[in-house]
Amino acid sequence: MIKAIAVDMDGTFLKSTNDYSRERFEKIYQELQEKDIKFIVASGNQYAQLSSFFPNQSEITFVSENGALIFEKNQLLKKATFDSITVHSVLRFLLQLDVSIGIVLCGAKQAYMLEKQPEAFQQFANRYYYALAEVASFDNLPEDEFVKIALQVPEREAKSLVDQLNQHFSKDITAVVSGHDSVDLLIPDVNKGQALLYLLKRWQISASQLLAFGDSNNDLEMLKLAEFSYAMANGSEEVLQTARYVAPSNDDEGVLTVIETWLAKMSGIT
């Protein structure tokens, strides 16, 4: 019996148009509510951005910033943050690299990027961060607590940069590829899987009752946790190897199709 469903957003729940079939999901969501099944959005993205996709579904729980911030009923439930020394050390390291890197420093209050960035990076940042401020320098930042550093890098450089960062900051950060040209720098042992484990314990739900969907390597811990784990057909090689099942692609609305199939089974409809 499924008691909770966790979905990644980009490349998983959202189609390439950066949206989803809202009418179809609304019908599914109503049935989830009737069956008391929790619906969790688990993403590397900012809470302000994620919640904007679901203006009418106040019962959704949000695991944002890859698990650093958890929101339940629009209230911050749990928070994990970097220490400031680590943040400044990593930023200095990134800024001296001979690679074109766009940097978004993600705070609990809002996100920050340097002024006068290339237009393409500004579009990238504005797409994912609705609460975003420009700063003249990362040396003097507003009062905030920092939960993630998001990078946009040339796709061919992503894996090597991840390896380099994990080697250089092995105890201080965990770097993962979160999309073809995206890299997330996370707090060690803070990830979607750990966030979901916290929620399941809070709700007294077993991982054997969890249905989860993902497409990128920042979904691996979540997929390992869930008894019913689905890689999207468009997922990374590691995700496809980790998940127990494969769902149709995000553009084929694979998440909605699989959930509908599960709900039909639970209702005794074949």
Side-chain angles (χ1 to χ4, degrees):
M1 182 74 70
I2 296 300
K3 288 291 185 180
I5 299 172
V7 302
D8 171 55
M9 287 292 279
D10 297 301
T12 300
F13 189 77
L14 296 179
K15 295 187 284 189
S16 298
T17 56
N18 199 43
D19 207 348
Y20 63 97
S21 176
R22 295 181 184 243
E23 184 177 351
R24 185 180 182 188
F25 175 70
E26 179 60 33
K27 293 178 181 178
I28 291 171
Y29 182 73
Q30 289 178 4
E31 188 168 353
L32 295 178
Q33 292 286 95
E34 292 168 3
K35 288 180 164 53
D36 195 26
I37 297 173
K38 304 286 188 180
F39 189 81
I40 309 150
V41 171
S43 171
N45 294 349
Q46 186 184 56
Y47 171 69
Q49 187 249 22
L50 296 174
S51 59
S52 72
F53 284 103
F54 304 95
N56 302 316
Q57 290 92 13
S58 60
E59 296 298 314
I60 290 177
T61 299
F62 293 91
V63 171
S64 67
E65 308 288 10
N66 280 315
L69 300 175
I70 303 174
F71 292 83
E72 187 177 38
K73 297 181 181 179
N74 296 316
Q75 299 297 316
L76 179 61
L77 185 64
K78 195 170 188 292
K79 174 175 63 177
T81 63
F82 282 114
D83 67 80
S84 60
I85 294 175
T86 296
V87 170
H88 287 289
S89 296
V90 172
L91 290 172
R92 283 195 297 270
F93 181 86
L94 292 169
L95 290 170
Q96 60 83 36
L97 289 176
D98 189 24
V99 178
S100 175
I101 301 176
I103 303 172
V104 177
L105 176 60
C106 307
K109 296 178 181 178
Q110 61 180 347
Y112 308 88
M113 72 175 185
L114 294 174
E115 297 173 349
K116 300 177 182 178
Q117 293 297 296
E119 183 178 350
F121 180 66
Q122 290 184 25
Q123 292 176 352
F124 167 86
N126 286 315
R127 174 180 175 181
Y128 294 108
Y129 299 94
Y130 285 19
L132 177 65
E134 294 187 0
V135 294
S137 168
F138 284 135
D139 292 332
N140 297 299
L141 291 164
E143 190 69 26
D144 205 341
E145 295 176 290
F146 302 106
V147 298
K148 189 188 74 178
I149 301 174
L151 311 177
Q152 186 186 48
V153 301
E155 185 174 346
R156 65 183 181 279
E157 305 282 355
K159 188 178 185 307
S160 62
L161 179 61
V162 163
D163 293 341
Q164 186 177 3
L165 288 165
N166 281 330
Q167 183 176 0
H168 197 274
F169 296 99
S170 59
K171 297 180 181 179
D172 300 317
I173 66 168
T174 299
V176 297
V177 175
S178 57
H180 296 295
D181 62 350
S182 299
V183 171
D184 285 342
L185 310 187
L186 313 176
I187 303 165
D189 300 321
V190 174
N191 54 60
K192 297 180 186 183
Q194 287 299 316
L196 288 174
L197 187 60
Y198 167 83
L199 288 170
L200 294 180
K201 288 181 178 179
R202 176 179 173 84
W203 296 330
Q204 297 183 320
I205 294 174
S206 166
S208 65
Q209 299 170 307
L210 174 64
L211 178 63
F213 301 84
D215 74 302
S216 294
N217 289 10
N218 61 341
D219 298 317
L220 292 175
E221 291 85 0
M222 173 173 73
L223 296 173
K224 289 174 183 176
L225 173 68
E227 178 73 20
F228 303 102
S229 56
Y230 283 81
M232 307 308 293
N234 52 287
S236 73
E237 182 179 346
E238 292 87 348
V239 165
L240 288 163
Q241 291 174 349
T242 298
R244 292 180 172 86
Y245 309 97
V246 177
S249 75
N250 62 320
D251 283 331
D252 290 327
E253 301 184 0
V255 169
L256 301 184
T257 297
V258 171
I259 294 175
E260 285 172 341
T261 300
W262 272 98
L263 289 175
K265 288 180 181 178
M266 293 172 67
S267 299
I269 301 172
T270 57

